[in-house]
Amino acid sequence: DPLGIRGEFPVTDGLAYLNSASVGPLSRTVRDAIAAYADEKMLYRNPGNRRITKANARAKFANLFGADEDEIAFLYSSSDGENIVVSALDWKAGDNIVLDELHFTTSFVLYRELEKRVGVELRIVPSRGGRARVEDFEAMVDARTRLLSVAWVSNRNGFRYDLPSLGELAHANGAYLYADAVQALGTFSTNLHDEGVDFACSNGYKWLFADFGCAPLYVRREHLEWMPPDRYGHGQVAETLPNHQFRLKTSAEKFEYASNANGPIAAMDAALDLLAEVGLDRIETHTAALAGQLYAGVAELGLDLFTPPDNRSSIVSFYHGLAPAKLSDALATENVRVTFQEEGRLLRVAIAMFNNQSDVDRLLDVLTKLV
């Protein structure tokens, strides 16, 4: 238990849970926070605490990930974040968006629909050896590029992008950079101001170890003035004026148009405390080391790795070359939980702060017996 954290996560009791890239399990700390919120709502003795929790969670998130509080909005899903950004831009027929084939499905759905409605062009960068290279983005970016969109860490194979390089490329061509951060935030230390990204959105239910329904959106301050919300409601009101007129919020809170998801926000508030206590640097050092050991073990077995070498993330993906049902049964027998992708041919392994060497060895032992 290198980080002294396994006791916080009951999922580790008998189960090698290597699946936080799908859903991160709850810690005892977060479970207790959700229970406390439920008790408060059941008894309704101090409902004002919910507003305090939201303000606290926003401050904690901004502090942990190098942003300012007024640059953070709490949405309901990470898909909301990219939709807000796309809705805010004044698209013209002939504009283009550049993303790569390692991106998450939502982005392809969103931009294909934008193609149909507006006549923009979607340019897809191919991956080479599990990487989407900056020079391949450069070949597709031009004066009509409005947006570069990437999954900061790919959900498919864990490839981790160099955001500052992509930010420089986007800005040199008058474009913006959006990062889906759902597989990134919580796995390594970062400062959003230094990453060169214009917009980034995550969610609580994976590597932040909170819950569904609280998706922090980062909007660099310089964009807040020109970006309109994509919908409107009472949550944006900063001041009520005579004759049913209103002054609306101008910070990133203007994207919080409706009632809060108070339970998920309570979970986020507690989860951020836990991450800060453990330390993002320590989490990255621990998980990257275990991911490297897994990578080496899979390579030694001669399996086809989809994750590129020297890739500092918590995800390792590889083609196992076995009958998916047979491998799935063997993993279930040994209480190993991972994700199968691409019709079962691709195995995605996610190593979290609570995982240890025995978890990795248990997976490798199953593979060794079958290959």
Side-chain angles (χ1 to χ4, degrees):
D1 189 10
L3 298 183
I5 202 69
R6 282 174 71 85
E8 268 284 342
F9 289 88
V11 74
T12 61
D13 185 13
L15 184 65
Y17 190 83
L18 298 163
N19 206 29
S20 293
S22 177
V23 178
L26 292 182
S27 65
R28 295 183 188 277
T29 294
V30 172
R31 184 266 175 202
D32 291 347
I34 295 173
Y37 164 75
D39 288 346
E40 176 190 297
K41 188 176 181 184
M42 179 175 66
L43 300 173
Y44 221 78
R45 290 174 178 168
N46 193 15
N49 278 347
R50 285 175 283 169
R51 289 187 291 274
I52 296 171
T53 297
K54 181 180 177 182
N56 288 346
R58 193 191 312 276
K60 291 172 186 177
F61 183 89
N63 182 64
L64 191 59
F65 296 112
D68 295 325
E69 292 178 44
D70 63 349
E71 297 175 310
I72 304 301
F74 286 149
L75 311 178
Y76 301 111
S77 75
S78 53
S79 296
D80 286 339
E82 194 160 10
N83 272 274
I84 285 172
V85 171
V86 169
S87 296
L89 294 174
D90 183 21
W91 298 97
K92 306 293 184 186
D95 289 343
N96 67 75
I97 311 105
V98 181
L99 70 164
D100 66 279
E101 64 181 7
L102 297 177
H103 215 322
F104 185 61
T105 305
T106 287
S107 297
F108 293 103
V109 173
L110 174 59
Y111 297 122
R112 286 303 187 197
E113 289 302 309
L114 193 64
E115 275 188 320
K116 295 175 186 177
R117 289 190 292 106
V118 183
V120 301
E121 179 187 2
L122 177 59
R123 298 178 177 179
I124 302 174
V125 175
S127 64
R128 303 186 187 187
R131 301 178 184 273
R133 305 183 307 169
V134 174
E135 50 265 43
D136 292 330
F137 276 88
E138 289 176 347
M140 292 194 177
V141 172
D142 59 26
R144 294 300 302 272
T145 301
R146 301 296 308 283
L147 186 67
L148 274 66
S149 176
V150 297
W152 192 345
V153 172
S154 171
N155 74 292
R156 293 184 59 200
N157 71 344
F159 173 63
R160 178 173 162 182
Y161 291 77
D162 177 18
L163 288 191
S165 295
L166 289 174
E168 290 177 8
L169 174 62
H171 301 152
N173 287 273
Y176 303 106
L177 175 62
Y178 174 85
D180 178 345
V182 74
Q183 300 287 5
L185 294 185
T187 65
F188 53 82
S189 180
T190 189
N191 183 303
L192 286 165
H193 286 160
D194 295 339
E195 293 289 350
V197 66
D198 297 288
F199 321 100
C201 195
S202 186
N203 206 326
Y205 69 93
K206 293 185 187 288
W207 301 97
L208 298 177
F209 302 105
D211 202 5
F212 294 88
C214 182
L217 170 68
Y218 164 75
V219 177
R220 188 175 290 272
R221 178 180 286 105
E222 64 196 72
H223 305 314
L224 288 171
E225 183 175 352
W226 65 261
M227 279 186 70
D230 67 336
R231 65 201 81 180
Y232 292 86
H234 70 274
Q236 297 153 324
V237 174
E239 181 182 4
T240 300
L241 305 173
N243 195 30
H244 301 290
Q245 300 289 331
F246 308 94
R247 182 177 64 83
L248 301 185
K249 297 173 182 177
T250 57
S251 70
E253 286 188 74
K254 67 183 178 180
F255 301 114
E256 301 171 5
Y257 65 97
S259 300
N260 303 319
N262 291 311
I265 289 173
M268 178 68 74
D269 183 63
L272 292 169
D273 283 339
L274 183 59
L275 287 172
E277 180 182 346
V278 178
L280 293 175
D281 285 330
R282 295 178 68 224
I283 291 171
E284 179 181 10
T285 299
H286 170 62
T287 58
L290 282 182
Q293 293 174 29
L294 174 62
Y295 192 100
V298 171
E300 188 174 339
L301 290 173
L303 302 181
D304 182 13
L305 281 148
F306 186 25
T307 301
D310 302 319
N311 180 63
R312 196 168 177 83
S313 86
S314 300
I315 296 173
V316 177
S317 293
F318 55 93
Y319 295 95
H320 51 77
L322 302 165
K326 182 178 181 180
L327 176 57
S328 179
D329 288 345
L331 291 171
T333 297
E334 296 300 324
N335 290 324
V336 178
R337 190 71 55 82
V338 293
T339 291
F340 285 85
Q341 296 180 322
E342 298 186 14
E343 299 179 342
R345 296 179 297 113
L346 183 68
L347 205 67
R348 184 186 69 188
V349 185
I351 297 175
M353 59 180 171
F354 53 77
N355 290 123
N356 63 11
Q357 185 68 56
S358 67
D359 294 334
V360 172
D361 289 344
R362 198 186 310 184
L363 171 59
L364 289 172
D365 286 345
V366 172
L367 294 170
T368 300
K369 293 173 183 176
L370 296 179
V371 298

